[in-house]
Amino acid sequence: MADCIFCKIAAGEIPARVVYEDDKVLAFHDLNPQAPVHVLLIPKMHIESCNGITAENSAVVAAVFEAAGKVAALCGVREDGYRIITNTGAHACQSVKHLHFHLLGGVQLSENIL
Ligand code: 5GP
Ligand code: ZN
């Protein structure tokens, strides 16, 4: 999608520190990390948010979660654990309108989600 920063990263038009890539999924380090490991997992296909997931496109979301454990292993956090978060809409402060999942780890995270 034009003017979508994550579509441009997926197309290789904007550089990113890529951790993992397959035909449906890209994982790259967040520009502004909030944990020692902070990677974004995205479907290469443009889906605006969780609200855009349908029976027709949900296979790419499954592919993201199939990749998650591999990405965690590549980042060295698979055994100690990690958290995956996605923000949807204004109340969740979603700033990039291309579905993405934050994989956070490398430190003891709070028991609280908020
Ligand atoms: P959101 O707030 O939408 O859930 O998360 C968007 C995330 O994308 C933020 O953590 C932000 O740091 C990250 N981000 C925004 N622009 C870029 C970029 O151009 N490259 C990378 N690697 N991360 C970005
Ligand atoms: Zn996009």
Side-chain angles (χ1 to χ4, degrees), residues 7-63:
C7 279
K8 288 181 177 168
I9 288 174
E13 294 166 8
I14 290 177
R17 290 173 55 215
V18 171
V19 176
Y20 172 89
E21 180 170 15
D22 64 32
D23 59 330
K24 296 191 184 75
V25 178
L26 188 70
F28 52 95
H29 290 279
D30 196 291
L31 205 54
N32 182 27
Q34 297 187 32
V37 172
H38 186 172
V39 170
L40 300 173
L41 294 111
I42 68 167
K44 289 182 172 177
M45 172 192 290
H46 183 86
I47 298 172
E48 187 167 314
S49 72
C50 282
N51 291 339
I53 300 171
T54 65
E56 284 68 43
N57 65 21
S58 62
V60 300
V61 182

